[in-house]
Amino acid sequence: HPGGAVVKVDDSNFQQEVLETDELVMVEFFAPWCGHCTKLKPEYEQASEQLRGVAKLVAVDATAATGLAQQFGIQGFPTIKVFPKGKKNPKKFEDYQGAREAGPIAEASEQTN
C-alpha cells in the first residue's frame, strides 16, 4: 500500500506502529494476490485520508509477516482488525465486519473511538 496515509507495517514495526500508539488503529491484513484486497486498497486509502487525526490505518502483508497473521488468527483476506485506544490485550481485538468501502470504514473507527 504505498502512497496515501496508510502505513505499511510488518513484524519489525508492528509493536511501535500499532500497539504502542495511543490512537485507534485499524489494521488490514492482506495478500498481494488477493483480488478483494486490490479492490479494497483505494477505499482503505480514502478512509485513511478521512480519518487523519482520528485514527491510523495500517496495512500488513500477511504473506510476508506470517508471524503476525498467526498471532491474530487471520483466516482470510482482507481481514481488518480494530485496535482501540488503550489496547492492553491483543486477543480482544475485533474484526471489522462492515462494508469494505471508505465511508463505512471511517464511520466504524469513529464509533469505536
Side-chain angles (χ1 to χ4, degrees), residues 1-29:
H1 288 265
V6 175
V7 182
K8 190 87 161 72
V9 172
D10 58 27
D11 294 296
S12 68
N13 62 352
F14 186 85
Q15 183 83 25
Q16 178 188 353
E17 292 287 349
V18 178
L19 299 178
E20 290 174 2
T21 176
D22 285 338
E23 58 199 325
L24 178 134
V25 184
M26 293 183 92
V27 180
E28 177 208 357
F29 291 88

Side-chain angles (χ1 to χ4, degrees), residues 57-69:
L57 271 62
V58 307
V60 174
D61 179 348
T63 64
T66 50
L68 287 174

Side-chain angles (χ1 to χ4, degrees), residues 24-29 40 43-44 47 50-51 57-58 72 74 76-84 92-112:
L24 178 134
V25 184
M26 293 183 92
V27 180
E28 177 208 357
F29 291 88
L40 171 64
E43 297 289 338
Y44 197 64
Q50 290 174 8
L51 290 167
L57 271 62
V58 307
F72 294 104
I74 305 305
F77 305 112
T79 295
I80 298 175
K81 292 211 172 269
V82 180
F83 291 71
K92 292 242 180 353
F93 302 138
E94 291 177 21
D95 287 8
Y96 165 76
Q97 302 289 1
R100 291 177 180 151
E101 294 164 6
I105 291 170
E107 280 167 33
S109 69
E110 284 165 351
Q111 285 163 8
T112 312

